Amino acid sequence: MAWAARALLASILLLVLFGLYGRGFGAAAARGLLLGALRPWRVAALPVPVTRADRVLVWLVPAVLLVASRLVLTWFAAPAHLLVTLGGWAMFALVVRLVVGRRDPFHLWAVIGGVALLRSVLLLAALAGRGPGGYWFAFWTAPGLRAAYVTVAFAAFCWLFVVVAVVLRDRYGLRRASAVALTLTAVGVPLGVLSALVSIVGLERALTVWNDQLALLPWGRSRILGITVHLGIPAQLPAYAAAAGIAVAAAGLLLSLGRHRQSA
């Protein structure tokens, strides 16, 4: 798994170099992803690629690397983890794609794909040393490293919402308030849907399936006490998260409709 992470990191490095210096097939997609990750305010000025290959590669390449990096993290053995993680990305992307409508989504995919690559680089860098075993060992036993990693990962997570709002405003002509409101809707939908799914399945059962696949918590103790008791997690947490997701999505949608009516 460590060597797989290193290979994926090397492929992303090649993609960055191609975005900086490349020409021809795939260069526009690579350049869009690079700008989308680091300088999203410049993405709007990019011309729409003339080739279909660039319009496909701009979402296909980050999607493949996103899936591959999460497979490495889970030893290719935890579909439950992939369902929640990749399902959240997919629903967020679907909602903002619906916002764009019939307009060309190249610039939208450039910013979403760019942040997906940025998040993948962070994860793969943590996995490249000793694989998932070293990653989780450091996560549980090194508070300083854990705090640094979580801080950077959370900042990159929030960066996704910033870049999407920027491209919706600069490229697709939405007012600033509407862009922010619709981004909130895109945030609330996966939070509400996935939390509702976990609530229906049951938090204890969902965590047990997850731990059976990843084996991160002591099996004997978690089986005897229950994971929610072992970790002190409130059993109703998914229901609260689902309610929060629905509220955020609805508030964003109502705010965007209100701004649309005012501008009309």
Side-chain angles (χ1 to χ4, degrees):
M1 293 299 99
W3 278 105
R6 295 164 193 166
L8 290 172
L9 274 176
S11 67
I12 295 175
L13 176 60
L14 291 176
L15 180 66
V16 170
L17 294 175
F18 190 49
L20 290 173
Y21 306 110
R23 297 289 185 273
F25 179 84
R31 194 169 299 110
L33 290 170
L34 187 58
L35 288 178
L38 302 177
R39 292 187 288 178
W41 52 88
R42 295 190 58 184
V43 170
L46 289 175
V48 177
V50 295
T51 63
R52 180 173 176 80
D54 283 302
R55 293 198 294 272
V56 172
L57 290 173
V58 76
W59 63 263
L60 181 60
V61 170
V64 169
L65 288 170
L66 184 69
V67 173
S69 63
R70 272 59 187 178
L71 285 171
V72 172
L73 171 66
T74 58
W75 292 277
F76 289 75
H81 186 93
L82 297 179
L83 174 65
V84 176
T85 303
L86 302 179
W89 276 96
M91 279 187 279
F92 179 85
L94 176 61
V95 173
V96 291
R97 176 65 183 90
L98 292 174
V99 170
V100 170
R102 296 183 178 181
R103 289 165 289 187
D104 193 292
F106 173 82
H107 300 81
L108 178 66
W109 296 144
V111 296
I112 295 177
V115 176
L117 290 178
L118 198 63
R119 294 287 310 279
S120 297
V121 166
L122 175 63
L123 176 61
L124 292 169
L127 295 173
R130 296 178 60 189
Y135 172 94
W136 287 113
F137 181 81
F139 188 87
W140 292 118
T141 62
L145 288 176
R146 179 174 65 240
Y149 179 83
V150 170
T151 300
V152 176
F154 185 73
F157 173 74
C158 294
W159 182 237
L160 173 65
F161 312 136
V162 174
V163 301
V164 167
V166 168
V167 80
L168 288 178
R169 181 196 65 186
D170 293 349
R171 177 66 191 185
Y172 297 102
L174 274 67
R175 293 176 180 270
R176 180 180 300 174
S178 294
V180 172
L182 290 171
T183 302
L184 284 177
T185 299
V187 172
V189 168
L191 175 61
V193 172
L194 293 174
S195 298
L197 177 62
V198 173
S199 182
I200 292 170
V201 172
L203 180 60
E204 183 63 39
R205 182 180 177 187
L207 288 176
T208 299
V209 171
W210 174 78
N211 190 51
D212 284 349
Q213 294 173 358
L214 283 177
L216 297 180
L217 302 174
W219 276 348
R221 183 178 298 178
S222 64
R223 288 287 186 176
I224 295 170
L225 295 177
I227 295 177
T228 54
V229 174
H230 179 64
L231 296 180
I233 303 174
Q236 298 301 315
L237 183 61
Y240 299 149
I246 293 170
V248 169
L253 189 59
L254 290 174
L255 287 172
S256 67
L257 292 176
R259 296 297 303 181
H260 178 73
R261 288 173 182 172
Q262 289 177 14
S263 61

